[in-house]
């Protein structure tokens, strides 16, 4: 099965924007059964390619963690939008913390 068929087969509804608090479940690799759980604030969305990219940031014990995820990746199992903010007008918000 080609990569484009895998991407088109599993399309995640993109109902989130910058400023939303999101919770993701992701496999570590295709052959591995270990699941990584990550929650944080979406600070940027890049929609240039077939597979858009989101950047999530989280503050934990005064340490800022920044992760980049592919939205339509076959490794992403599930996501939930926990909180949504509707008043953010910018596409990239880097000065949160």
């Amino acid at each position: 099965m080609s990569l484009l068929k895998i991407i088109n087969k599993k399309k995640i509804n993109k109902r989130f924007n910058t400023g939303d608090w999101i919770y993701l479940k992701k496999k570590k690799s295709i052959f591995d059964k270990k699941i990584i759980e990550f929650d944080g604030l979406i600070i940027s969305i890049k929609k240039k390619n077939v597979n858009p990219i989101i950047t999530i940031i989280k503050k934990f014990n005064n340490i800022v963690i920044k992760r980049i995820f592919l939205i339509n990746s076959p490794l992403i199992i599930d996501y939930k939008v926990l909180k949504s903010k509707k008043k953010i007008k910018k596409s990239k918000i880097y000065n949160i913390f």
Side-chain angles (χ1 to χ4, degrees), residues 2-45:
S2 69
L3 183 62
L4 286 175
K5 287 183 182 179
I6 293 171
I7 290 172
N8 291 332
K9 184 178 178 183
K10 183 183 178 184
K11 284 201 173 186
I12 297 175
N13 295 330
K14 296 174 260 320
R15 296 182 185 172
F16 45 80
N17 294 318
T18 55
D20 292 348
W21 197 268
I22 195 168
Y23 173 77
L24 280 170
K25 285 185 180 179
K26 178 188 170 187
K27 287 185 181 179
K28 189 158 186 165
S29 68
I30 296 174
F31 306 109
D32 199 4
K33 293 182 181 179
K34 186 175 180 180
I35 296 174
I36 299 171
E37 298 175 350
F38 192 79
D39 63 331
L41 185 74
I42 298 175
I43 58 169
S44 73
I45 299 174

Side-chain angles (χ1 to χ4, degrees), residues 1-2 7-8 23 45 56-57 72 79 85-86:
M1 187 180 289
S2 69
I7 290 172
N8 291 332
Y23 173 77
I45 299 174
I56 299 175
I57 194 167
N72 292 331
Y79 80 96
K85 294 190 175 185
K86 298 179 182 176

